[in-house]
Amino acid sequence: MYEIFSTAERDAFIPHCLAPDVNWPNVADGVRLHGHEAVRAYWAAQFAAAHPLVRLEGLRLDEEGRRVVALVRPGLRDATGEHWAEESVEHVYAFGADGLVSRMDVRRP
């Protein structure tokens, strides 16, 4: 998923990865997004402003063994190159019975 996110294929990938009613964070605005179209529009706005990057650094199950926690380093690419954040964050994924992401949260490790 992280490899696809940084490419033009991300829109086509959404229905194969995210539940139709996915609950997704808009971290910049502090709100939650719901559904494919909201996530698609959010990602389009991100890529219109800059080219966001996410480097996967590790995966594990959460403390309850019910969600997947991805340790990631956010960054962006611009005309001067790639710029990576100094600190990593955690993306926490919950999955529905269909195996698709039903919710994603971002938190500090």
Side-chain angles (χ1 to χ4, degrees):
M1 186 171 76
Y2 288 106
E3 289 179 24
I4 297 285
F5 173 73
S6 295
T7 73
E9 299 299 317
R10 72 188 153 276
D11 285 348
F13 187 66
I14 287 175
H16 301 287
C17 180
L18 306 181
D21 60 347
V22 66
N23 183 326
W24 196 267
N26 174 332
V27 176
D29 295 334
V31 298
R32 303 293 306 183
L33 306 172
H34 301 277
H36 289 175
E37 292 310 313
V39 172
R40 196 174 273 123
Y42 172 59
W43 287 351
Q46 284 185 308
F47 279 88
H51 188 104
L53 302 168
V54 182
R55 180 187 308 147
L56 180 62
E57 296 183 330
L59 288 172
R60 64 177 175 80
L61 290 176
D62 73 351
E63 298 77 16
E64 300 168 359
R66 297 177 53 201
R67 293 170 290 205
V68 173
V69 179
L71 182 65
V72 301
R73 184 161 314 262
L76 66 91
R77 181 180 304 131
D78 63 17
T80 64
E82 294 183 358
H83 309 278
W84 295 95
E86 290 186 24
E87 295 184 15
S88 298
V89 296
E90 291 180 336
H91 290 173
V92 182
Y93 295 96
F95 295 85
D98 57 5
L100 300 175
V101 174
S102 60
R103 180 182 176 99
M104 195 270 264
D105 293 289
V106 178
R107 67 184 188 193
R108 299 235 180 258

